[in-house]
Amino acid sequence: MGADIDTARRRAVLSRIRMLRKQRETQLARVVLEWADSSWGSIEPETPANDSPAALLREHARVERAYLLMRQLDGTGYGDALKTLESVENSVLGKLHNVSRSSVRLVNLKPAPSLTGIRKYRVLSSVATAYSTCGDERAADRVIESVLGRPFPATPEGADEIVRRLGKLRSADLFSDHATRLTRRAYVDLLGATPDSFAQAADLLARARVAADISSGLRETKAGVLLARTVSARVTMESVALEPDRDRRVDMLTSLVTETKSILAESTASPYIFPVTVMLRQSLHGEVMIELARYLRGHERPDTARLGRVCVAPRLTVNEIDADYKPAVSICYADACAMSGEQERARTVWERTRRQMARARPNADLALAALDRRLTHGLPDTD
Amino acid sequence: MEAVDVSRALGTGRFSGASAAFAASASATTLTAWVRLAQSMLADLTWPPSTASTGNAVTYVLAHRGDHDAVLERLSTCSAVTTLGERTARPKYAEWWDMRRLYGFSEDHWSRQHGARRDVRVAVCLATDLIWLGYSDGLLAARNVVRLPLELDCRAFGATLHTWAIEDYPALAVALGAALTNLGGQAMPCIAFEAVLTELLLPHVVDDADSVAKEQVARAAKRCSQRIIAMLAASDDPPLTGPQVAGSILEVVGEEIPSLHVRQRIDPILDFERAAARLVSQALTDPGELPQVESALNQLARGVLI
């Protein structure tokens, strides 16, 4: 009983740390984590029994540590964060870690998975999201596939079995996370602007659309439906670049501006949606307007870009002080600056983004090349 | 912990395997035992309250006094004395009465014919309260490390409750919801949630000695806990989220204590978020205001970045 109360106590402290991290209060989250570590030696229980509440707590706590590591403003924590996530993945899946093949043959060292069943799914799902936030999308896919025991379903029919296994709510979250990850990868491919990368982006976005639609069909509460609409809007926004006809692009984006504005208004009115989420949806609305501005002409172009920039700006400010690094938002903001005639500011933001990306995302070749092109030739021509 | 469908038992009044569950509860020393105890009590509605249940109540009171050593000692005693043989023992009505009073019932209520069902419900409340104990303790301990504005405290409570109700003990949450709301239209209070909420809200009152404000806080905490419980009881798969809980708490606090003087320790990021949202909304409504809005946003950003 004492051990269970102790685990519950640590779980509550971890909840507060997670809440602080999600509210971008990273410094305060670190203070609470340090206090917990000094109180108990470490917030993670030592040698918890496999598949126990204490084991679940340990894995969740390590994921939280990874998030705090990747938020180091100098970008030096990403490597350690990825290593931490990898060790959680190995522990939950019972995979060998840093053991040579010969040792395996001599003694059967393969460890038992620390978690099973729904607990295993919950932790691995968090690990996948954290990998994705850290910029390692392939690791995120690998983890999800290990949960499902097969590649992610590309058709709605393949989703039924997942919904049966995980329930509606968890499946909805799983599919919307998957759609978001695919969209993020498609964005990077679109930045590459080569025929190959466009083909790749088209495939990713088609799969993202299926995942978003499945997720949408599973949502029941108002907040859930708004989340599904947001994910779907992001998929549509990236898909516009694949549409060959310019007028059709403008039509699609004009409708999307109406949709994101409606999402924003409904989110603002809901008492259950926090200001931080409203701010993210404001940013999405701004990003859509900036996309629209790329295809407009005359005075409409700078006016729309500037309005979009104002919507994105608060998120960029918060990202600078605390939150997870999102290069796409910075690039979008700088593009809007360029379209609204502020070339110097655009250049400053592109340069800063390039420096941050080179440090934190050294393998993001396509995005780095896209930034180099902007710095050399300015904003790409949409004609 | 394996999820148990206690709510169904509450609804039907029967639950199979009661004896086995009770036997398990007698020997085990983990929280699972308390869940099973609640299960077993739910299963046998004709079973009179036992010394084990009374022990729970005493333990509960000790726990809320912060005497954890006494709690653990008491719990181990309970586990030892709770044997199948004692199921027939005459209950200690005096202590049982204390426990019922703890949950706000008068003597009249308890003498009515539905007493057994009420006993079961009280037992479920006690079991869940005990499990909640560790969470509330951790929540308050971490609160004391970093003081936050009221809104963030409410969000932290929402996040902890979400962990407890959705991730760790979902069946208990549903059972608690049912136990507290389906009692002939009469709601039982959830004193554990109330106690934590009161603790969280009180430091935000400017004058700690202000008894009127304290009463308002206590009333708001009671209403908040009732609303949360109603959410928990809404379905077998509770649609409860951390933001929903926090939103509900903030709504009730706003309605119940309009004069609550929240300490003016405004979180800079929260403040920035709100002010920025207002400005952006202004720009979207009237794009003619864009230059002023942009300048104000830049000023705000400089303030938060420094």
Side-chain angles (χ1 to χ4, degrees), chain B residues 140-161:
Chain B
L140 294 175
R143 187 277 306 264
N144 293 338
V145 177
V146 175
R147 294 274 171 174
L148 298 173
L150 173 68
E151 182 169 348
L152 288 185
D153 267 347
C154 290
R155 290 188 197 185
F157 178 76
T160 307
L161 189 73

Side-chain angles (χ1 to χ4, degrees), chain B residues 133-285:
Chain B
L133 177 76
Y135 291 87
S136 55
D137 191 45
L139 179 70
L140 294 175
R143 187 277 306 264
N144 293 338
V145 177
V146 175
R147 294 274 171 174
L148 298 173
L150 173 68
E151 182 169 348
L152 288 185
D153 267 347
C154 290
R155 290 188 197 185
F157 178 76
T160 307
L161 189 73
H162 184 257
T163 301
W164 173 79
I166 302 295
E167 295 196 355
D168 290 354
Y169 299 99
L172 271 179
V174 175
L176 178 62
L180 291 173
T181 53
N182 298 333
L183 207 62
Q186 186 182 25
M188 288 169 71
C190 177
I191 39 193
F193 291 171
E194 266 180 57
V196 177
L197 272 168
T198 308
E199 279 290 310
L200 280 173
L201 294 176
L202 268 179
H204 297 285
V205 179
V206 171
D207 184 1
D208 288 345
D210 183 350
S211 60
V212 177
K214 276 186 177 174
E215 276 172 28
Q216 284 180 328
V217 166
R219 203 170 46 239
K222 187 173 183 176
R223 282 203 54 213
C224 285
S225 69
Q226 281 172 354
R227 198 183 279 201
I228 292 163
I229 296 305
M231 278 202 258
L232 286 169
S235 77
D236 281 346
D237 182 13
L240 183 75
T241 64
Q244 279 178 318
V245 177
S248 180
I249 294 168
L250 287 167
E251 260 188 314
V252 175
V253 168
E255 288 164 16
E256 197 70 31
I257 328 178
S259 61
L260 177 75
H261 301 293
V262 177
R263 279 188 181 146
Q264 293 303 304
R265 182 196 172 286
I266 300 295
D267 180 88
I269 300 181
L270 270 178
D271 194 29
F272 171 77
E273 261 172 22
R274 289 228 176 70
R278 270 197 306 274
L279 285 167
V280 169
S281 142
Q282 192 183 334
L284 287 171
T285 318

Side-chain angles (χ1 to χ4, degrees), chain A residues 23-25 119 309, chain B residues 1 137 155 267 273 294:
Chain A
Q23 296 302 318
R24 303 164 323 285
E25 296 278 8
R119 282 183 177 141
R309 201 176 80 189
Chain B
M1 177 180 294
D137 191 45
R155 290 188 197 185
D267 180 88
E273 261 172 22
E294 202 162 16

Side-chain angles (χ1 to χ4, degrees), chain A residues 77-272:
Chain A
Y78 279 88
D80 289 340
L82 284 172
K83 275 184 201 158
T84 308
L85 292 173
E86 201 183 339
S87 73
V88 177
E89 182 191 345
N90 288 335
S91 157
V92 174
L93 291 173
K95 279 182 1 193
L96 291 171
H97 188 53
N98 293 334
V99 179
S100 69
R101 277 173 164 272
S102 55
S103 336
V104 179
R105 254 185 246 116
L106 286 172
V107 273
N108 187 8
L109 284 178
K110 192 166 189 240
S114 63
L115 297 170
T116 58
I118 203 77
R119 282 183 177 141
K120 174 176 156 184
Y121 158 71
R122 262 161 41 196
V123 169
L124 287 178
S125 179
S126 312
V127 169
T129 309
Y131 266 135
S132 176
T133 310
C134 219
D136 195 340
E137 299 293 349
R138 298 198 187 285
D141 282 354
R142 181 185 69 220
V143 170
I144 288 297
E145 283 178 16
S146 66
V147 175
L148 301 177
R150 59 172 199 183
F152 215 92
T155 60
E157 292 73 37
D160 294 346
E161 191 255 329
I162 296 176
V163 177
R164 265 197 307 277
R165 261 176 61 196
L166 303 176
K168 264 189 175 180
L169 194 62
R170 285 204 179 93
S171 304
D173 287 343
L174 185 75
F175 280 102
S176 46
D177 283 355
H178 188 61
T180 305
R181 279 200 300 274
L182 291 174
T183 312
R184 208 179 292 162
R185 279 168 61 182
Y187 167 80
V188 174
D189 283 327
L190 290 170
L191 275 181
T194 65
D196 279 353
S197 67
F198 265 68
Q200 172 85 357
D203 175 52
L204 289 169
L205 286 170
R207 284 158 53 199
R209 169 62 62 203
V210 171
D213 288 348
I214 294 171
S215 165
S216 186
L218 295 169
R219 299 286 183 190
E220 285 170 349
T221 61
K222 187 167 182 187
V225 171
L226 279 172
L227 174 64
R229 282 170 63 191
T230 307
V231 172
S232 189
R234 198 164 273 285
V235 177
T236 308
M237 183 177 79
E238 300 303 347
S239 304
V240 169
L242 299 170
E243 171 61 46
D245 182 56
R246 184 193 176 98
D247 290 340
R248 172 85 186 115
R249 286 184 187 186
V250 173
D251 287 347
M252 283 169 78
L253 285 165
T254 307
S255 318
L256 200 54
V257 165
T258 312
E259 165 68 353
T260 50
K261 195 169 183 179
S262 150
I263 293 172
L264 180 57
E266 287 176 49
S267 303
T268 309
S270 168
Y272 300 136

Side-chain angles (χ1 to χ4, degrees), chain B:
Chain B
M1 177 180 294
E2 190 186 347
V4 286
D5 189 3
V6 195
S7 61
R8 190 160 298 158
L10 271 166
T12 60
R14 301 303 309 172
F15 190 83
S16 59
S19 300
F22 186 77
S25 77
S27 56
T29 54
T30 64
L31 282 178
T32 315
W34 296 99
V35 179
R36 286 179 182 160
L37 174 63
Q39 252 184 320
S40 67
M41 293 184 77
L42 288 166
D44 189 350
L45 292 178
T46 57
W47 176 49
S50 76
T51 49
S53 313
T54 316
N56 283 2
V58 176
T59 307
Y60 174 79
V61 174
L62 288 173
H64 276 268
R65 284 183 193 151
D67 191 348
H68 298 301
D69 289 340
V71 174
L72 294 177
E73 189 188 329
R74 185 81 207 185
L75 286 172
S76 59
T77 314
C78 285
S79 294
V81 299
T82 309
T83 62
L84 280 173
E86 283 199 6
R87 289 185 65 185
T88 54
R90 187 176 172 77
K92 294 177 183 173
Y93 284 112
E95 286 188 37
W96 182 236
W97 166 243
D98 285 345
M99 183 172 69
R100 286 175 294 181
R101 238 184 359 195
L102 201 64
Y103 275 92
F105 283 83
S106 70
E107 196 166 5
D108 283 351
H109 285 122
W110 288 91
S111 60
R112 288 179 191 157
Q113 56 180 340
H114 298 301
R117 186 172 281 257
R118 288 174 197 275
D119 292 350
V120 167
R121 289 171 193 275
V122 169
V124 176
C125 296
L126 286 168
T128 45
D129 276 355
L130 272 172
I131 292 169
W132 173 247
L133 177 76
Y135 291 87
S136 55
D137 191 45
L139 179 70
L140 294 175
R143 187 277 306 264
N144 293 338
V145 177
V146 175
R147 294 274 171 174
L148 298 173
L150 173 68
E151 182 169 348
L152 288 185
D153 267 347
C154 290
R155 290 188 197 185
F157 178 76
T160 307
L161 189 73
H162 184 257
T163 301
W164 173 79
I166 302 295
E167 295 196 355
D168 290 354
Y169 299 99
L172 271 179
V174 175
L176 178 62
L180 291 173
T181 53
N182 298 333
L183 207 62
Q186 186 182 25
M188 288 169 71
C190 177
I191 39 193
F193 291 171
E194 266 180 57
V196 177
L197 272 168
T198 308
E199 279 290 310
L200 280 173
L201 294 176
L202 268 179
H204 297 285
V205 179
V206 171
D207 184 1
D208 288 345
D210 183 350
S211 60
V212 177
K214 276 186 177 174
E215 276 172 28
Q216 284 180 328
V217 166
R219 203 170 46 239
K222 187 173 183 176
R223 282 203 54 213
C224 285
S225 69
Q226 281 172 354
R227 198 183 279 201
I228 292 163
I229 296 305
M231 278 202 258
L232 286 169
S235 77
D236 281 346
D237 182 13
L240 183 75
T241 64
Q244 279 178 318
V245 177
S248 180
I249 294 168
L250 287 167
E251 260 188 314
V252 175
V253 168
E255 288 164 16
E256 197 70 31
I257 328 178
S259 61
L260 177 75
H261 301 293
V262 177
R263 279 188 181 146
Q264 293 303 304
R265 182 196 172 286
I266 300 295
D267 180 88
I269 300 181
L270 270 178
D271 194 29
F272 171 77
E273 261 172 22
R274 289 228 176 70
R278 270 197 306 274
L279 285 167
V280 169
S281 142
Q282 192 183 334
L284 287 171
T285 318
D286 182 4
E289 296 284 316
L290 202 54
Q292 292 89 318
V293 166
E294 202 162 16
S295 150
L297 265 180
N298 283 337
Q299 254 186 340
L300 267 182
R302 270 197 294 277
V304 80
L305 285 171
I306 286 167

